[in-house]
Amino acid sequence: QSALTQPASVSGSPGQPITISCTGTSSDVGIYNYVSWYQQHPGKAPKLMIYDVSNRPSGVPDRFSGSKSGNTASLSISGLQAEDEADYYCSSFTSSSTLVFGTGTKVTVL
Amino acid sequence: EVQLVESGGGLVLPGGSLRLSCAASGFTFNTYEMNWVRQAPGKGLEWVSYIDASGTLMYYADSVKGRFSISRDNAKNSLYLQMNSLRAEDTAVYYCARQARTGWDLGYWGQGALVTVSS
């Protein structure tokens, strides 16, 4: 199972919106709505930010949102804040009954 | 409060074995599916294995199939990962993670246990 494809890095100024893409196949992202997004700060465990494509767990700021079109899912941050600087990973359930993560995206706040 | 605490990591020779444990608390352990996820130094996340709530259904990543074995003891609120025939490329921080009741999101993670495979 190959990793989902994400851009290596995305950057933006405080207050600006950014979007991170996550491209899979018709065996994972394309057929399941089990797409999640995780935020990971250096030296810390990942934190769930979005589940089932577009749902936010309790406590996650509403500036984070998720969507999906075809084989590509997206995570958007509507107004970037300094504390959003981190690595972000998408994941999807697959037709092989496994989980697959994305390659990861480093978000930099300029 | 949900807590997941991994233990059992360390330095092991190539070809050796190691058993990781994950102690769970703060929730009804025997009603949740659990997973192991690893992260090699400076690299991304890689899903390793899944086990259902009763411990009867398991899935593995191709990279560990036949070498790693996931299990759980619901009476002890504990999750395990038996790792055999270890290779240098298995060097990583290993996280245990609790899956949602429905869906495949991992809502709670432990702090991780470092496994280093080296001679």
Side-chain angles (χ1 to χ4, degrees):
Chain A
Q1 179 71 48
S2 299
L4 307 176
T5 301
Q6 299 180 231
S9 63
V10 172
S11 62
S13 299
Q16 279 191 330
I18 64 166
T19 297
I20 302 169
S21 61
C22 168
T23 301
T25 70
S26 57
S27 297
D28 39 65
V29 176
I31 57 170
Y32 295 106
N33 286 325
Y34 295 134
V35 175
S36 303
W37 288 91
Y38 300 89
Q39 177 191 66
Q40 186 180 34
H41 288 107
K44 301 294 187 181
K47 175 187 176 183
L48 179 67
M49 304 300 283
I50 296 288
Y51 67 95
D52 296 351
V53 175
S54 59
N55 295 292
R56 267 189 323 274
S58 173
V60 173
D62 60 7
R63 64 179 181 274
F64 290 88
S65 63
S67 62
K68 190 185 85 166
S69 177
N71 294 340
T72 299
S74 299
L75 173 71
S76 296
I77 307 177
S78 61
L80 205 55
Q81 296 192 9
E83 60 263 34
D84 300 334
E85 185 161 294
D87 294 325
Y88 291 82
Y89 296 90
C90 60
S91 75
S92 175
F93 182 65
T94 82
S95 59
S96 301
S97 297
T98 61
L99 264 181
V100 61
F101 282 96
T103 50
T105 299
K106 182 177 181 59
V107 169
T108 301
V109 181
L110 301 172
Chain B
E1 179 196 4
V2 172
Q3 281 199 317
L4 298 168
V5 180
E6 300 93 340
S7 61
L11 175 63
V12 61
L13 293 170
S17 299
L18 208 58
R19 187 199 199 202
L20 299 181
S21 300
C22 172
S25 61
F27 64 100
T28 306
F29 182 69
N30 63 11
T31 64
Y32 284 88
E33 299 151 295
M34 299 292 294
N35 289 260
W36 287 99
V37 176
R38 69 183 181 183
Q39 186 170 36
K43 303 297 185 182
L45 300 174
E46 179 188 14
W47 174 80
V48 173
S49 186
Y50 155 96
I51 189 167
D52 72 349
S54 64
T56 57
L57 182 63
M58 293 81 83
Y59 299 128
Y60 298 93
D62 288 345
S63 58
V64 307
K65 200 173 294 182
R67 300 187 299 123
F68 289 13
S69 177
I70 190 172
S71 63
R72 64 192 295 161
D73 186 336
N74 286 341
K76 294 183 177 180
N77 290 343
S78 293
L79 175 73
Y80 306 102
L81 185 68
Q82 177 66 43
M83 303 182 292
N84 299 328
S85 302
L86 282 162
R87 307 165 180 166
E89 53 264 37
D90 295 318
T91 294
V93 172
Y94 285 73
Y95 296 99
C96 67
R98 192 189 86 173
Q99 194 166 318
R101 280 267 174 78
T102 58
W104 280 80
D105 49 288
L106 305 178
Y108 290 91
W109 297 64
Q111 85 289 350
L114 176 62
V115 173
T116 302
V117 184
S118 175
S119 55

